[in-house]
C-alpha cells in the first residue's frame, strides 16, 4: 500500500503565511510504502429513518463505496492534538486473503454508539 501524507497549515493563519508554509518541504506531500495485515473501513454516519408505518429503516451501503478510501484519489483529513494531515491510500497489490475491520463503534463523552448500517457484499 502507498500512503500519501501532506501536512496542513493551521486554519487560523492568514493566507499569506499559509502560502509561505506550503512552500516548505515539511508541508510537501510525502509517499511511504507499507505492508498491511488488514484494512480498516469507516462506515458513513447514516441516521435511522422511519417509513410510513413508523418502522425503522436501517441504511445500507455497498462495500465498494467504503473501499473508495483506498483508491488513491480520495483524501481524508486526520487531526492530531497540534497538527492536521491529509492522507490518501492506494492499494498496489492485494494479498491472497483480505481481512476487513469495519469501524462500527464511536466513543462519545457519555457512552459508546454503534452504527447499524448494513454493508452489502457483492456475490461475484
Amino acid at each position: 500500500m502507498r500512503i500519501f501524507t501532506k501536512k496542513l497549515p493551521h486554519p487560523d493563519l492568514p493566507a499569506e503565511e499559509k502560502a509561505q508554509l506550503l512552500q516548505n518541504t515539511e508541508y510537501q506531500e510525502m509517499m511511504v510504502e507499507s505492508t498491511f495485515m488488514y484494512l480498516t473501513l469507516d462506515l458513513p454516519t447514516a441516521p435511522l429513518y422511519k417509513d410510513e408505518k413508523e418502522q425503522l429503516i436501517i441504511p445500507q451501503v455497498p462495500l465498494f463505496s467504503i473501499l473508495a478510501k483506498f483508491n488513491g484519489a480520495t483524501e481524508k483529513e486526520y487531526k492530531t492534538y497540534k497538527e492536521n494531515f491529509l492522507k490518501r491510500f492506494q492499494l498496489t497489490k492485494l494479498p491472497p486473503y483480505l481481512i476487513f475491520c469495519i469501524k462500527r463503534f464511536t466513543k462519545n463523552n457519555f457512552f459508546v454508539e454503534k452504527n447499524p448500517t448494513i454493508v452489502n457484499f457483492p456475490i461475484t
Side-chain angles (χ1 to χ4, degrees), residues 2-3 6 13 18 26 35 43 52 54-55 68 79-80 83 91 100 108 111 116 122:
R2 288 188 186 123
I3 303 171
K6 184 175 163 181
L13 290 176
K18 284 183 187 179
E26 182 183 3
T35 57
L43 283 177
E52 56 274 351
E54 293 297 318
Q55 294 177 338
K79 297 180 180 185
T80 62
E83 300 170 326
L91 294 177
F100 297 134
N108 197 341
F111 52 89

Side-chain angles (χ1 to χ4, degrees), residues 14-24:
E16 57 193 35
E17 273 189 59
K18 284 183 187 179
Q20 286 178 345
L21 284 176
L22 290 175
Q23 302 301 320
N24 293 346

Side-chain angles (χ1 to χ4, degrees), residues 2 4 29 67-76 86-91:
R2 288 188 186 123
F4 300 91
E29 186 173 68
L67 277 173
K69 173 182 176 180
F70 299 100
N71 65 5
T74 305
E75 293 181 329
K76 185 174 179 187
L86 268 183
K87 288 192 176 189
R88 293 186 294 131
F89 302 96
Q90 181 182 26
L91 294 177

